[in-house]
Amino acid sequence: MVYWSAMIPAFNLHVLPLVFLLSTFPLTVAGQTLADRLGYPPGAKLIVVHADDLGETHAVTAAAIKALQGGTINSASLMVPCPWFPEIADYAKSHPDADFGLHLTLTSERVYYRWGPVAPADQVPSLVDENGYLHHDWEHNQHVNAKQVESELRAQIERALAMGVRPTHLDSHQYRLIMSGKELFDVMLRVAHEYKLPVFVARDWFADYPYLPKSLGPNDIVLDHTITIAPEVPPEKWAEFYSTQLKSLKPGVTEFVIHPGFDDEELRAATKERSTWGSAWRQRDYDFFTSDQFRQILAQQKIQLITWRELARLAAPK
């Protein structure tokens, strides 16, 4: 069985430029950088600390909420098909200013902890296995029907809206909608534009996936970097990796994509078949991004936390 990274393709894992789509947001304004347009001085270092997979388990959701309340993790995306989605949806409804996107989910990659589609399974048969769960893997995407993908994406967004979530952005779980060909990428863009939501796309994916720049229109916005941790970083080097990335941060807007969670019995059971993006991994992410060390580096390096809501307001009518 082939398992995919929970976040990004294997190439260039450490520092990736980030692009996101906003239908009313021009690519440049009179040569200004994104930081300029946000009102920051030249050379400003701005970061979004973004937690993935909320709703996957209670331990993931609880850790992210605690970190959000602490003020260092300031953005997240929610997995609508997962069993614990109602918990985070309820929190989002009661905290309408929270910076929550949707982690569009078309796979159920864990072995013992599974979830199915939001749309009725008989309407999206190419997305489900013989037991009605979303596939562990897509086996190079041969059997996935683009119209059914679109139905499922719309179902996920509509369920989130119906349960009180007002998403600020969209991204793709395991980057399936980014890496699986132009047809599926265009499906995601079409749905995102309809709902007027931004979508993650990385500029240096363009060489490997040349259909990406061909699909993007003239109104695209470029964030400068994104950083996530890779499986080859040993646990004892976790804090060192993040500290190094922060201390060498380039000016502009950078998103740190992280996976917080509590290393408890529930999350250990849900992720026990392998350690990658598992319980201990998520505890390490939580520990660093809620630590005094992280806060001290932000202050020392004069790094400013920003949110997707701030970025989106640039597109609001004046």
Side-chain angles (χ1 to χ4, degrees):
M1 184 178 295
V2 177
Y3 297 109
W4 285 61
S5 156
M7 273 306 305
I8 61 174
F11 58 89
N12 197 16
L13 282 162
H14 290 173
V15 180
L16 303 176
L18 179 67
V19 178
F20 74 88
L21 263 281
L22 198 54
S23 59
T24 60
F25 205 176
L27 181 60
T28 59
V29 177
Q32 290 183 314
T33 68
L34 189 55
D36 292 336
R37 292 158 61 189
L38 287 166
Y40 291 91
K45 298 177 181 180
L46 313 174
I47 66 170
V48 179
V49 183
H50 184 276
D52 258 11
D53 299 345
L54 275 66
E56 185 179 43
T57 68
H58 171 69
V60 166
T61 299
I65 288 174
K66 188 172 182 180
L68 285 161
Q69 291 172 340
T72 51
I73 293 176
N74 63 345
S75 178
S77 56
L78 321 180
M79 296 177 75
V80 178
C82 291
W84 281 93
F85 175 71
E87 179 184 39
I88 189 59
D90 188 58
Y91 182 87
K93 184 177 180 180
S94 62
H95 295 78
D97 293 331
D99 194 45
F100 290 142
L102 301 181
H103 200 46
L104 298 173
T105 301
L106 296 172
T107 49
S108 178
E109 71 278 7
R110 291 291 172 175
V111 171
Y112 303 111
Y113 181 63
R114 308 296 306 282
W115 48 83
V118 172
D122 62 356
Q123 294 181 17
V124 290
S126 73
L127 302 184
V128 298
D129 64 18
E130 64 276 11
N131 297 311
Y133 297 116
L134 292 170
H135 291 290
H136 281 294
D137 186 38
W138 279 5
E139 299 173 356
H140 306 293
N141 190 40
Q142 299 100 318
H143 60 278
V144 176
N145 180 282
K147 290 183 178 179
Q148 293 172 24
V149 167
E150 185 164 350
S151 295
E152 176 60 19
L153 299 187
R154 293 180 186 278
Q156 291 184 23
I157 295 170
E158 288 297 327
R159 173 173 287 181
L161 294 172
M163 294 178 69
V165 180
R166 294 296 178 264
T168 58
H169 57 287
L170 301 176
D171 55 36
S172 174
H173 185 50
Q174 300 185 314
Y175 285 89
R176 297 289 176 160
L177 294 165
I178 301 292
M179 300 187 293
S180 299
K182 177 176 170 57
E183 187 177 24
L184 294 187
F185 181 63
D186 287 349
V187 165
M188 180 172 64
L189 290 184
R190 181 165 60 251
V191 171
H193 290 158
E194 178 178 322
Y195 287 93
K196 296 181 172 61
L197 293 170
V199 175
F200 278 108
V201 183
R203 185 182 297 278
D204 58 353
W205 299 341
F206 290 177
D208 293 272
Y209 305 103
Y211 51 83
L212 297 178
K214 293 178 182 177
S215 294
L216 301 175
N219 297 324
D220 302 344
I221 297 292
V222 179
L223 272 70
D224 302 295
H225 311 286
T226 185
I227 295 169
T228 193
I229 201 161
E232 59 262 27
V233 178
E236 65 273 14
K237 298 288 187 180
W238 218 258
E240 180 182 328
F241 170 84
Y242 284 129
S243 297
T244 298
Q245 295 300 320
L246 287 163
K247 290 176 181 179
S248 60
L249 196 69
K250 297 177 181 178
V253 180
T254 299
E255 177 150 329
F256 279 75
V257 181
I258 66 171
H259 298 81
F262 290 138
D263 185 11
D264 63 9
E265 185 176 3
E266 181 214 23
L267 191 52
R268 286 194 293 271
T271 62
K272 66 181 180 180
E273 78 279 0
R274 66 188 188 280
S275 62
T276 49
W277 288 273
S279 185
W281 176 303
R282 292 171 187 267
Q283 183 71 58
R284 291 193 295 271
D285 268 5
Y286 173 85
D287 289 345
F288 181 82
F289 283 96
T290 59
S291 68
D292 289 339
Q293 180 183 6
F294 175 55
R295 292 182 175 88
Q296 290 166 4
I297 294 172
L298 293 183
Q300 292 165 359
Q301 300 296 317
K302 298 181 180 179
I303 296 169
Q304 175 71 44
L305 291 171
I306 65 167
T307 68
W308 286 69
R309 288 190 182 279
E310 291 175 65
L311 295 166
R313 277 197 288 269
L314 291 177
K318 306 302 183 192

